[in-house]
Amino acid sequence: MTADAPTDPAADPASPEPGPRGSSDPGQRGVAARSRGDLAIVLTGGGARAAYQVGLLRWLARRVPDLRFDVVTGVSAGAINASLLAAHPGTFAEAVGELDRLWRGLTTEDVFRVDTRSLAGHVAHWGRRLVSGGADEERARDGRGLVDTSPLDELLHRTLAPIDADGRILGIAENLERGRLRAIGVTTLDYATGQTITWVQGSDVEPWVRANRRSVETTIRVRHVVASAALPLFFPAVQVDGGWHGDGGVRHTAPLSPALHLGADRILAVSTRYVRTRAEETVPETVGYPPPAQILGHLMKAVFLDVIDQDVRRLELVNRVIDTLPPEERGPLRHVDILALRPSVDLGRLAADHEPTLPPVFRFLTRGLGTRETRSPDFLSLLLFEPAYLAELIAIGERDAEARAEELERLIAGASS
């Protein structure tokens, strides 16, 4: 790991317009005066799969209980974990303990309503909207999502407390003031414009604008977190600053970008995507015509789970190019160490084993989509908020962290990679 710290945009692997040395790009001015060696954690999406991240964090908390991440970014369900880490008043180990209790105690009913009346009502609303051609605007508003996520909103208000009357997460501001955190970024998708918005709260933060993505400096509220985790169509969009926002993993082509713009020199990225072996890739997951659940699973993986790997590869390529240059010729460029962890187990196939634990009415509806007709129901793995499944994901995360202990310890220590 080098000590050279260049400007953010030049190191952003997905940036189409890295400013030249001495450029007035606002993203460059902020980093030049910052301290070197900032450590960031990037927590990606994946619905219930985000429990895997807790396993990694548990391993880290045992090894380095007073660990501090200078920059924390999250998207989709990863935004929930990121926000709790950034807001918790205690040590890193205590924050992770709170996350662990949250996920181990989570049930589907804590995320969205699964009673017969609620689910049947939402399905009926969508059906009426289809057959009416959208003519009944009042009913259309009632059916904005396939499920009612008010339980998740209530859960996050309790978990991220203290919260003020406007939903501001007060612990984040306190940790920023105490110097325990430098910045947090929570990413959403603005459905009206199609832009990816990263809502940033921090010190010495400069805004950035890139093609179809930009930052907005704000005070992080619960609604930002709920919006980031709002799976499209299934969960209703959330109104933020006058616009309707949903899952930040949609169209998020550069998930490492917020951490880079916020000045990170070392990044730990946690993906929830399992990479299949060559042999596994050739084995069909269904027989005959693919059921809707199979098609939805591929769509969800493409939208939420594949992009982080592409971004990591781009950053590694940029690092190799920078490393070929002598220090005096690097100008604003800097080497940014990256370590990406991902599951060693197919979490979709694992979800199939736990499918019977779903609440009966919701299980009936998902089976109607064909979740039992595929060996790897990736779509189901995003929604399987059941204790046994989540506990297994946490255990896998811990094992995977242990398997890469040396790399993790090098990254945290700031040793040369």
Side-chain angles (χ1 to χ4, degrees), residues 189-209:
L189 174 70
D190 185 337
Y191 282 132
T193 65
Q195 277 194 316
T196 296
I197 310 294
T198 298
W199 307 90
V200 177
Q201 183 176 353
S203 57
D204 299 323
V205 171
E206 296 288 351
W208 65 86
V209 178

Side-chain angles (χ1 to χ4, degrees), residues 19-40:
R21 190 175 186 180
S23 163
S24 61
D25 186 312
Q28 297 187 357
R29 295 198 304 271
V31 178
R34 292 187 186 132
S35 60
R36 312 276 174 92
D38 281 0
L39 176 63

Side-chain angles (χ1 to χ4, degrees), residues 374-389:
T374 172
R375 296 187 183 92
S376 184
D378 289 297
F379 154 71
L380 186 63
S381 72
L382 302 174
L383 300 170
L384 219 165
F385 295 96
E386 290 301 312
Y389 179 63

Side-chain angles (χ1 to χ4, degrees), residues 124-346:
H125 281 310
W126 277 76
R128 282 193 293 266
R129 178 171 184 146
L130 288 171
V131 299
S132 69
D136 191 336
E137 294 184 6
E138 188 62 35
R139 292 191 186 279
R141 284 195 294 272
D142 289 342
R144 282 173 171 163
L146 280 172
V147 294
D148 176 355
T149 55
S150 57
L152 176 62
D153 188 79
E154 295 167 4
L155 174 68
L156 291 180
H157 272 85
R158 295 193 305 270
T159 301
L160 298 174
I163 308 292
D164 72 6
D166 195 36
R168 297 181 183 90
I169 304 172
L170 301 180
I172 293 176
E174 183 172 340
N175 282 334
L176 286 166
E177 186 176 348
R178 295 170 61 187
R180 299 178 59 190
L181 175 72
R182 197 165 57 70
I184 176 176
V186 172
T187 301
T188 66
L189 174 70
D190 185 337
Y191 282 132
T193 65
Q195 277 194 316
T196 296
I197 310 294
T198 298
W199 307 90
V200 177
Q201 183 176 353
S203 57
D204 299 323
V205 171
E206 296 288 351
W208 65 86
V209 178
R210 293 293 180 266
N212 293 318
R213 55 189 173 89
R214 62 187 175 91
S215 68
V216 175
E217 191 168 2
T218 190
T219 300
I220 300 296
R221 295 168 168 80
V222 175
R223 68 176 68 106
H224 292 111
V225 182
V226 178
S228 184
L231 291 168
L233 295 181
F234 291 95
F235 292 4
V238 178
Q239 196 165 26
V240 181
D241 288 4
W244 291 97
H245 291 250
D247 198 305
V250 181
R251 299 192 66 182
H252 195 15
T253 56
L256 299 181
S257 175
L260 291 166
H261 280 289
L262 293 171
D265 294 292
R266 296 168 289 150
I267 298 176
L268 172 59
V270 190
S271 171
T272 59
R273 173 180 178 262
Y274 169 73
V275 179
R276 292 179 181 171
T277 65
R278 292 289 179 87
E280 288 173 326
E281 287 177 344
T282 62
V283 178
E285 295 173 356
T286 60
V287 177
Y289 192 84
Q294 181 71 11
I295 298 171
L296 282 170
H298 286 306
L299 288 174
M300 292 294 186
K301 280 200 297 185
V303 169
F304 300 112
L305 305 178
D306 289 344
V307 179
I308 185 70
D309 300 309
Q310 300 167 14
D311 213 24
V312 168
R313 285 194 291 270
R314 285 195 292 265
L315 180 55
E316 289 172 339
L317 177 61
V318 171
N319 280 339
R320 287 197 293 272
V321 172
I322 292 172
D323 291 345
T324 64
L325 300 174
E328 64 273 12
E329 294 182 12
R330 294 178 183 177
L333 300 174
R334 76 181 186 280
H335 179 115
V336 178
D337 269 6
I338 175 69
L339 176 59
L341 269 75
R342 56 181 57 80
S344 59
V345 174
D346 187 334

